[in-house]
Amino acid sequence: YGSGGHEIGYKLSQKPGLSYYDNDIIRMACEHLGKEFNDSDSSDSRKSNLFDKGRFRFNKFPGNDELFFAQSDMIEKLALKEDAIFMGRCADVVLEHAGIPRISIFIRAPFEDRVKHEMQCTGIERDEAVNLVRHMDKTRKSYYNYYTGGHWGHSENYDMCINTACYGIDGTVDILENMYKLFD
């Protein structure tokens, strides 16, 4: 959190004309389920691996599990229609389990750089930014680990890990755009 991933994803989608999906996926899944969108729906802490239970069927799961499986279904459907950038939502594992080709990237930066970035983007004070970055990292880790059985942020889960502190937002976009062109 705070490494600029959302900015990078959006900017990257503008260059080659890719679609970009972030919280849109959650909203679409909520609409599909007839639920009202709530930001708290997007991150829940769990402790097991639901992918071990075979091909999932979201209608059997309550609460956030139901939402997770609905958004996973949305990700699959959208990925089959078009090339797109999916931010978070365990899309790397969702697409892998669906047999859909993908490039999985983990965007990171050192903690202090992420705190500074968050302060610049939101105007919040340092203490609040520190707490927010820590909280969001913990939330994302719990969410990813629960729904995938993997380890959030571990390099073996991704095709590429990139440190935005080394290249900046625009430099990272350029690197990823060139990588995408290799597969186009």
Side-chain angles (χ1 to χ4, degrees):
Y1 185 82
S3 59
H6 296 278
E7 295 166 72
I8 291 164
Y10 182 76
K11 285 184 175 188
L12 184 61
S13 72
Q14 301 304 299
K15 291 194 175 203
L18 296 168
S19 294
Y20 174 80
Y21 298 101
D22 194 347
N23 283 342
D24 302 339
I25 294 291
I26 303 166
R27 284 184 183 88
M28 294 165 69
C30 284
E31 287 174 14
H32 177 75
L33 294 171
K35 292 176 65 174
E36 191 168 316
F37 174 75
N38 179 344
D39 282 329
S40 66
D41 287 335
S42 65
S43 57
D44 192 14
S45 300
R46 306 292 183 157
K47 296 188 191 305
S48 69
N49 176 5
L50 294 176
F51 277 112
D52 286 342
K53 296 179 178 159
R55 181 77 178 124
F56 43 82
R57 294 164 34 126
F58 58 83
N59 59 349
K60 290 187 176 182
F61 296 92
N64 281 358
D65 291 346
E66 181 180 37
L67 179 58
F68 173 79
F69 292 113
Q71 73 187 9
S72 296
D73 191 50
M74 292 288 166
I75 289 169
E76 285 184 41
K77 287 177 181 174
L78 291 166
L80 289 170
K81 282 186 191 177
E82 62 185 344
D83 286 346
I85 295 171
F86 298 98
M87 296 301 296
R89 318 302 347 134
C90 305
D92 57 331
V93 176
V94 169
L95 296 173
E96 178 184 1
H97 280 264
I100 298 171
R102 79 249 170 264
I103 301 170
S104 175
I105 301 162
F106 188 80
I107 297 174
R108 63 165 311 277
F111 183 78
E112 283 303 319
D113 290 309
R114 295 184 296 131
V115 168
K116 287 177 189 173
H117 184 260
E118 191 60 26
M119 290 169 61
Q120 289 171 346
C121 289
T122 63
I124 60 177
E125 296 295 321
R126 186 182 189 310
D127 289 345
E128 188 178 353
V130 165
N131 290 335
L132 181 60
V133 169
R134 283 187 181 140
H135 171 74
M136 292 303 296
D137 282 353
K138 182 179 178 182
T139 300
R140 288 178 175 184
K141 179 180 179 178
S142 294
Y143 183 90
Y144 184 90
N145 293 357
Y146 172 68
Y147 283 111
T148 69
H151 300 285
W152 179 77
H154 289 210
S155 61
E156 64 269 9
N157 296 332
Y158 309 97
D159 299 315
M160 178 182 204
C161 295
I162 191 161
N163 182 345
T164 58
C166 295
Y167 310 104
I169 301 295
D170 291 330
T172 302
V173 170
D174 291 341
I175 290 167
L176 297 178
E177 180 182 17
N178 288 329
M179 185 174 140
Y180 173 74
K181 287 177 182 177
L182 293 172
F183 296 98
D184 193 19

